Amino acid sequence: MHPASWHVVKCVDAIRKSLLEWYDRIHEVRGMPWRKTYDPSLDKDGRAQRAYEVWVSEIMLQQTQVVTVIPYYNKWMAKFPTIKDLAASDIEIVNGLWKGLGYYSRAARLLSGAQKVVKELGGRLPNNAKDMQAEIPGIGRYSAGAICSIAYNQCVPV
């Protein structure tokens, strides 16, 4: 056994500073096409587009390494550049692009989620984690937080 004090972070500011410095150094080097700097000048449609891009990456990255996901993500975004393009597709085409990533239920949930967004939500993912988690199939607490943090610049704890 060890003391509970070992689990208490005492110098949060120093850790935060170090983490952000590390991220600034590796951000561009890692070549993740879905990682773009937040752009406050984007309008609602632009932010919704970013949310879609981040959503696709978050779902692909579940139980899959980044190096594996990058080419799949690029092919996906070439075929389905918008949520409306994805919603207009069918499961055979979606699964064809997904082939090799495994866990095909993730692809099916992306498709059904996109169809719901287009039919019921005006073509935009919800702009907050609570609604995103409640309304979009396959988006749980972690994914909703990540999407809203990255695409909408919200501080959403995981």
Side-chain angles (χ1 to χ4, degrees), residues 16-115:
R16 179 183 300 128
K17 183 177 185 270
S18 294
L19 184 59
L20 290 171
E21 286 172 355
W22 167 81
Y23 181 78
D24 286 342
R25 284 193 311 274
I26 62 96
H27 179 256
E28 297 299 324
V29 177
R30 293 186 78 184
M32 296 180 285
W34 52 85
R35 292 298 286 187
K36 300 173 187 170
T37 303
Y38 175 74
D39 183 355
S41 70
L42 290 176
D43 62 8
K44 282 185 180 182
D45 289 331
R47 288 189 299 275
Q49 176 62 28
R50 281 294 298 131
Y52 166 66
E53 294 165 3
V54 174
W55 178 34
V56 170
S57 72
E58 285 295 320
I59 300 306
M60 286 184 172
L61 287 163
Q62 291 172 357
Q63 301 181 3
T64 309
Q65 294 180 351
V66 169
V67 69
T68 301
V69 168
I70 290 172
Y72 283 92
Y73 177 86
N74 289 333
K75 284 186 237 172
W76 184 279
M77 295 311 294
K79 180 74 176 172
F80 308 123
T82 70
I83 201 165
K84 290 176 183 171
D85 294 315
L86 173 56
S89 189
D90 61 57
I91 194 64
E92 288 79 23
I93 293 171
V94 167
N95 280 343
L97 275 178
W98 199 267
K99 187 176 181 183
L101 281 176
Y103 303 99
Y104 286 87
S105 63
R106 296 181 295 167
R109 283 192 299 273
L110 275 169
L111 177 58
S112 65
Q115 290 168 338

Side-chain angles (χ1 to χ4, degrees), residues 3 6 15 23 30 33 40 78 87 115 128 131 134-136 138 140 146:
W6 286 11
I15 293 171
Y23 181 78
R30 293 186 78 184
Q115 290 168 338
N128 66 82
D131 291 342
E135 296 183 35
I136 309 302

Side-chain angles (χ1 to χ4, degrees), residues 116 121 125-136 139 144 148:
K116 180 176 183 176
L121 303 174
L125 284 164
N127 63 3
N128 66 82
K130 180 182 176 191
D131 291 342
M132 192 175 290
Q133 184 177 349
E135 296 183 35
I136 309 302
I139 295 185
C148 290

